[in-house]
Amino acid sequence: MLGRLNPKVLGSVVVGVALVAGAYTISNFGEPRMQQPASVLESQAPERVAIAVTDKDENGVEDWRDQLIPTQPAAMITSSTSYELPTTLTGKMSISLLENYTQSKINGPFGNTQDEVVSQALDELSEGTRQELYDTKDVIVMETWTDEDIKNYANAMAGAILNNNVKGVKQEVAIMYEAVVKGDTKKIEDLAVVTDIYKRTLDDSLAVPVPALLLKQHLDLINSYSALYGDVDAMAKTFSDPAATLMRFKRYQDDTLGLRLSLENMYVSLTPYENLFGTSDSAIFFTSFNPSNNRVQ
């Protein structure tokens, strides 16, 4: 059933009709009004012909209607690609955030607040960038050892750093600055080299048998390598998975501090055995991390 017309709508219609009628009147003002003779109209009228209602193919539809029905089925336009769920942390978080926000609106006063929806999304981001820690079961522990074992261990751990170093490679933050701030997006590819350095250093360190008295220092060091490997790997995805980059970049400063402290602790732990090492030993590298020299004045 029709309701009452809104007075504003009715008024608009009346004004519109008046304008059209006025324009028509002005355009035809002064024109001679002549009527065409009826004989002329009659002579131009087409002759009416009745449409046959035959049904030769006996399909229940008149022949003239059959001619209007397409004989070929309509071709449906199909896409050559199919939808795939996002694999990046950014994509997953975006879908989850939209779903949770929509659900909260559906639930009304019984749903989550906007702050709760955002907090849930942040929790999912944190979980998606959670760092798995290496433990005793992941390393080769020597329950008994000699001074020679300690010397070999220290040289091998220092060698893992020195042998995987690549000269001329810029620090990861400097690369990020050129790629993001200066807009040289191609520079982001240079992070792959830095990522590879951390990964190879981590792998080489995991393969070194560690005397049990140095187990804690060893685990701290390899977990620092692992954390920075994850950070730089996320930085390399700045333009493809920005949410992961942001979350890892926030912890990057803490992870670099953790690496420095781990190297300092390794130096302190090896100090009682300094008489085992000569100037040709790779372990001399750890003297660069003497806490006394690195203390801020």
Side-chain angles (χ1 to χ4, degrees):
M1 183 171 62
L2 296 177
R4 298 181 60 185
L5 289 175
N6 189 309
K8 293 184 178 180
V9 175
L10 181 61
S12 299
V13 173
V14 171
V15 171
V17 172
L19 291 174
V20 173
Y24 176 80
T25 303
I26 293 173
S27 63
N28 290 278
F29 182 76
E31 294 290 334
R33 303 194 177 193
M34 297 180 61
Q35 293 185 349
Q36 203 169 15
S39 59
V40 176
L41 294 176
E42 291 175 0
S43 63
Q44 292 180 350
E47 182 179 355
R48 294 185 177 183
V49 179
I51 298 176
V53 292
T54 57
D55 184 13
K56 295 179 180 180
D57 54 7
E58 298 182 350
N59 64 348
V61 180
E62 295 92 336
D63 295 333
W64 71 273
R65 293 183 185 274
D66 280 333
Q67 296 179 9
L68 303 178
I69 300 175
T71 57
Q72 297 295 330
M76 301 298 293
I77 300 176
T78 59
S79 173
S80 58
T81 59
S82 58
Y83 174 74
E84 296 182 0
L85 290 174
T87 56
T88 63
L89 181 62
T90 304
K92 293 177 181 178
M93 184 273 297
S94 300
I95 290 179
S96 178
L97 181 61
L98 180 60
E99 289 176 345
N100 293 336
Y101 180 77
T102 303
Q103 189 62 48
S104 70
K105 290 299 182 183
I106 293 174
N107 294 336
F110 301 101
N112 293 333
T113 64
Q114 184 173 341
D115 289 342
E116 290 173 335
V117 171
V118 173
S119 178
Q120 184 176 351
L122 291 176
D123 290 341
E124 292 176 1
L125 281 175
S126 298
E127 179 64 23
T129 54
R130 184 166 56 91
Q131 180 71 40
E132 295 290 341
L133 296 178
Y134 288 94
D135 204 346
T136 306
K137 65 181 184 300
D138 302 309
V139 298
I140 305 169
V141 182
M142 302 173 65
E143 297 298 339
T144 59
W145 61 89
T146 64
D147 285 351
E148 190 66 20
D149 293 326
I150 293 176
K151 178 179 179 179
N152 292 337
Y153 168 77
N155 283 329
M157 291 300 290
I161 299 172
L162 297 172
N163 296 336
N164 290 308
N165 183 45
V166 178
K167 294 182 179 180
V169 177
K170 290 185 177 181
Q171 201 258 358
E172 47 265 32
V173 173
I175 296 174
M176 283 284 288
Y177 179 80
E178 292 181 354
V180 178
V181 179
K182 290 190 173 182
D184 190 356
T185 56
K186 280 288 185 181
K187 287 291 184 181
I188 207 73
E189 298 174 2
D190 294 346
L191 288 175
V193 179
V194 183
T195 303
D196 188 56
I197 291 174
Y198 282 118
K199 183 65 169 64
R200 287 188 286 109
T201 303
L202 172 62
D203 291 342
D204 290 352
S205 299
L206 286 169
V208 178
V210 52
L213 83 162
L214 296 172
L215 179 58
K216 181 184 182 303
Q217 293 83 350
H218 183 74
L219 289 174
D220 288 344
L221 190 53
I222 63 175
N223 278 310
S224 294
Y225 293 150
S226 177
L228 285 167
Y229 165 71
D231 293 343
V232 180
D233 184 58
M235 292 179 195
K237 300 172 183 176
T238 297
F239 301 112
S240 60
D241 195 1
T245 302
L246 178 62
M247 294 300 293
R248 294 300 302 227
F249 196 77
K250 287 175 62 178
R251 57 181 290 180
Y252 170 76
Q253 186 173 0
D254 290 338
D255 291 337
T256 55
L257 175 61
L259 176 59
R260 183 174 68 82
L261 293 176
S262 296
L263 291 168
E264 288 183 357
N265 289 337
M266 184 64 72
Y267 167 81
V268 172
S269 299
L270 292 173
T271 300
Y273 307 94
E274 59 184 350
N275 62 313
L276 299 177
F277 306 102
T279 55
S280 61
D281 287 307
S282 300
I284 297 298
F285 166 79
F286 289 116
T287 59
S288 302
F289 298 94
N290 184 337
S292 300
N293 299 334
N294 296 328
R295 187 178 296 116
V296 178
Q297 300 297 329

